[in-house]
């Protein structure tokens, strides 16, 4: 069955960097687009970024453009999110999710990893 | 302020039918598929409806989706206590080149 396991979250000071990972199994990773979606404590879902199945197309939310970088390594079945210049408002649970079809909105979500930005 | 507009709350009694609305614009709902997600307390979101009105395998037929113009809705019939959760709509926005979510609707089963 589909499994998405995020890691790399934790407590970090403002201005620092962090790289989140998401290891996929149970499906053909290289055949699907992948998303990152975050959820601040007690808040709704906020889309962060998407990458195409082959890594050639990436889109970002305006709120993270220039600071966040989405990437993937299909040989390792792994999705990444590089987060630079962390801010307090980046505090959230970060979910990775595979698209339902080859592209499009998320179909299956991981359990998430918590990033807490605080001095 | 979310690009897609949902009511913050909804409620119903067991067995009732409830609907949750999602309003957008021509650049998102008006021109792209709508998806609906259920998020039970403390868990990751789960896909309920894709492509406006299609249920993934395993989702009960008590859940149904519809779309008309720039609005969409999720209907839940035969309401059960386990349906108490947050529900989110989503669609791709061509103008923003971004996936946009509604603010979420907290469903309470009385």
């Amino acid at each position: 069955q589909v499994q998405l396991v995020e890691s790399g979250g934790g407590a970090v000071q403002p201005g620092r960097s962090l790289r989140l990972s998401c290891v996929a199994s149970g499906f053909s990773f290289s055949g699907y687009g992948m998303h990152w979606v975050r959820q601040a404590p007690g808040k709704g879902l906020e889309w962060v970024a998407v990458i195409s199945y082959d890594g050639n197309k990436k889109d970002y939310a305006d709120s993270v453009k220039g600071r966040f970088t989405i990437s993937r390594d299909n040989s390792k079945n792994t999705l990444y999110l590089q987060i630079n210049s962390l801010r307090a408002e980046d505090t959230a649970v970060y979910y990775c999710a595979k698209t339902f079809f080859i592209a499009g909105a998320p179909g299956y979500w991981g359990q998430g990893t918590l990033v807490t930005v605080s001095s | 302020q979310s690009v897609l507009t949902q009511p913050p709350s909804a409620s119903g009694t067991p067995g009732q039918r409830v609907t949750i609305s999602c309003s957008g614009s021509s650049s998102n709902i008006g021109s792209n598929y709508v998806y609906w997600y259920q998020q039970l307390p403390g868990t990751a979101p789960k896909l309920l409806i894709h492509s406006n009105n299609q249920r993934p395998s395993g989702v009960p037929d008590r859940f149904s989706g519809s779309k008309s113009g720039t609005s969409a809705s999720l209907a839940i019939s035969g309401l059960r206590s386990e349906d108490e959760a947050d529900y989110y709509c989503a669609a791709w926005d061509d103008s923003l080149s971004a996936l946009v979510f509604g603010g979420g609707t907290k469903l309470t089963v009385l």
Side-chain angles (χ1 to χ4, degrees):
Chain A
Q1 74 279 21
V2 174
Q3 266 206 311
L4 297 169
V5 180
E6 301 94 335
S7 62
V12 63
Q13 293 179 325
R16 305 294 290 265
S17 296
L18 207 59
R19 189 175 82 158
L20 306 182
S21 300
C22 170
V23 176
S25 60
F27 67 101
S28 177
F29 181 71
S30 61
Y32 290 86
M34 296 292 296
H35 293 264
W36 286 102
V37 178
R38 67 184 179 181
Q39 187 170 35
K43 302 296 184 182
L45 301 174
E46 180 189 12
W47 176 76
V48 171
V50 64
I51 187 168
S52 61
Y53 68 97
D54 57 2
N56 286 339
K57 188 174 187 330
K58 305 172 187 181
D59 284 300
Y60 298 91
D62 284 345
S63 58
V64 307
K65 241 174 238 181
R67 292 194 304 124
F68 287 26
T69 302
I70 189 171
S71 62
R72 65 191 296 161
D73 186 337
N74 285 347
S75 68
K76 295 182 179 178
N77 286 357
T78 302
L79 174 73
Y80 302 102
L81 185 68
Q82 177 70 37
I83 308 175
N84 297 331
S85 305
L86 275 154
R87 305 167 180 169
E89 54 265 35
D90 295 322
T91 293
V93 173
Y94 285 74
Y95 295 101
C96 73
K98 71 176 278 290
T99 55
F100 187 73
F101 298 109
I102 186 173
Y108 187 85
W109 303 58
Q111 290 307 300
T113 186
L114 176 62
V115 173
T116 303
V117 184
S118 172
S119 52
Chain B
Q1 194 79 342
S2 302
V3 174
L4 303 182
T5 302
Q6 296 179 235
S9 63
S11 63
T13 56
Q16 259 190 337
R17 181 178 188 270
V18 296
T19 61
I20 297 172
S21 61
C22 176
S23 176
S25 67
S26 58
S27 63
N28 41 65
I29 292 179
S31 50
N32 293 295
Y33 284 132
V34 177
Y35 293 71
W36 288 92
Y37 301 92
Q38 177 193 58
Q39 187 175 33
L40 297 169
T43 69
K46 171 191 168 185
L47 179 66
L48 277 184
I49 297 289
H50 69 88
S51 308
N52 302 332
N53 56 16
Q54 301 299 303
R55 284 186 310 277
S57 133
V59 174
D61 60 6
R62 300 187 298 107
F63 295 90
S64 62
S66 64
K67 173 181 139 176
S68 177
T70 59
S71 293
S73 61
L74 172 72
I76 309 171
S77 60
L79 201 59
R80 297 182 174 185
S81 57
E82 57 260 39
D83 297 332
E84 194 160 279
D86 294 324
Y87 292 84
Y88 296 89
C89 59
W92 186 260
D93 191 296
D94 293 331
S95 297
L96 299 173
S97 289
L99 184 70
V100 292
F101 283 96
T105 299
K106 184 174 184 60
L107 175 64
T108 301
V109 181
L110 303 168

